[in-house]
Amino acid sequence: MTKSNSESIGALVLAAGLGTRLRPLTDEWPKCLMPVSGKPLLEIWLDQIFALGIEDVLVNVHYLPEKVFDFLNRPKFQGRVESVFEPRLLGTAGTLLENYNFFKGNTTLLIHGDNLCVCDFAAFIKYHFEERPAGSLLTMMTFRTETPETCGIVELDERSVVRNFHEKVRNPPGNLANAAIYLLSPELLEWLHARPEIHDFSNQVLPEFLGKIATWENKGVMRDIGNQESLVKAQREVRFSEEGEMDEWQSKFRSNPIYELLSSRA
């Protein structure tokens, strides 16, 4: 990946989810800040984005916004991350449309931030810019799942381009799943901008681009942490090096009962 590639990317991290399957943990603490091996999920995402040299980052916020804003107001994120509050959830495509001017003219790294993902993002970006098949307007990250009936399964052609989707069906043809992480070309964003009635990315956008969706397989860690069992498993899948002196937010975070509960179950 060249420096010019990273400078031409804006990142959207969708962090507005309610986390209903994680209740009661999410009654007072947002899903996007759930601890994973001692680190808030959203911070895992932002650290990986910054490591790529991407500095234009937008995070959407809806549920328990004051807690997410408090997290993002830390010095390490100042001048690098902008946040936008959604009084009502707009849907993935709706959020892209609402913030069109933030991403206009650039490639967009679109991330559903309620999943744990640790992989070679530099290779993902290099593939999109330098290796994806001609004519494809976006690159979808995929992964191999042990529970294909719970995921969106994709069928590929000989060029590894998506030719069909199977969304959470019984006995799907394979286990290659959509990771809900994408690199979107500026042309795709312009297509979306011309259709302001669209709000659902999976059902209203992706089906329109069959034959034009390149794929890159994540062979690292990919886990939905949407329920407590998965969140506990995630504690054992990744380890992060200790950072330097803790700031005030981290000190409060580590005294949070949820942090202590999940640390004890790692």
Side-chain angles (χ1 to χ4, degrees):
M1 181 186 65
T2 66
K3 184 176 181 181
S4 60
N5 284 349
S6 65
E7 290 177 346
S8 66
I9 297 174
L12 173 59
V13 184
L14 299 166
L18 304 179
T20 53
R21 291 180 296 148
L22 278 171
R23 287 175 178 163
L25 298 183
T26 48
D27 285 344
E28 298 183 11
W29 194 249
K31 181 180 180 180
C32 67
L33 296 182
M34 282 293 155
V36 178
S37 293
K39 200 168 188 175
L41 180 61
L42 183 53
E43 189 160 3
I44 295 171
W45 278 115
L46 293 174
D47 284 350
Q48 291 186 98
I49 291 169
F50 295 152
L52 296 167
I54 299 171
E55 296 288 336
D56 295 321
V57 184
L58 185 69
V59 176
N60 79 328
V61 180
H62 171 74
Y63 180 63
L64 297 176
E66 69 286 349
K67 287 186 166 57
V68 185
F69 290 142
D70 192 32
F71 166 80
L72 291 173
N73 283 335
R74 296 162 60 197
K76 70 178 290 184
F77 302 129
Q78 293 301 303
R80 307 171 87 184
V81 180
E82 293 186 31
S83 57
V84 58
F85 174 66
E86 294 183 3
R88 60 180 181 83
L89 293 173
L90 299 175
T92 299
T95 298
L96 281 167
L97 281 169
E98 186 73 11
N99 299 282
Y100 166 77
N101 288 330
F102 187 92
F103 300 104
K104 180 181 178 181
N106 292 322
T107 297
T108 303
L109 174 59
L110 174 59
I111 291 168
H112 288 75
D114 51 3
N115 297 316
L116 172 65
C117 175
V118 179
C119 68
D120 189 349
F121 272 95
F124 178 47
I125 291 173
K126 182 177 186 294
Y127 178 83
H128 177 79
F129 279 99
E130 302 177 15
E131 302 169 24
R132 79 181 193 269
S136 47
L137 295 182
L138 68 156
T139 300
M140 170 194 291
M141 184 181 292
T142 60
F143 70 105
R144 299 288 173 178
T145 176
E146 296 177 354
T147 56
E149 67 281 357
T150 67
C151 299
I153 298 300
V154 296
E155 283 188 88
L156 308 183
D157 66 15
E158 67 281 355
R159 301 180 303 153
S160 296
V161 171
V162 177
R163 67 181 181 187
N164 207 355
F165 295 103
H166 303 271
E167 188 64 34
K168 298 180 181 178
V169 299
R170 186 176 297 179
N171 300 318
N175 68 342
L176 188 66
N178 178 4
I181 300 166
Y182 311 92
L183 284 160
L184 313 179
S185 68
E187 293 86 353
L188 189 146
L189 190 63
E190 293 305 317
W191 179 92
L192 184 60
H193 184 59
R195 294 160 176 81
E197 71 281 3
I198 289 178
H199 59 89
D200 189 310
F201 192 83
S202 294
N203 293 318
Q204 294 179 289
V205 178
L206 291 181
E208 297 294 325
F209 289 91
L210 286 176
K212 297 181 179 180
I213 305 172
T215 61
W216 180 87
E217 186 177 342
N218 170 8
K219 297 184 179 179
V221 175
M222 188 74 216
R223 178 174 292 282
D224 173 9
I225 62 156
N227 59 58
Q228 291 193 39
E229 180 183 3
S230 294
L231 182 57
V232 169
K233 286 181 179 178
Q235 310 302 316
R236 308 184 188 110
E237 287 186 301
V238 291
R239 288 288 181 268
F240 302 104
S241 57
E242 291 290 330
E243 297 184 359
E245 186 177 348
M246 288 192 295
D247 60 25
E248 182 179 356
W249 190 92
Q250 285 173 304
S251 297
K252 291 180 180 178
F253 175 64
R254 295 198 175 195
S255 64
N256 186 307
I258 292 174
Y259 177 94
E260 295 175 352
L261 171 67
L262 291 171
S263 295
S264 69
R265 298 174 71 179

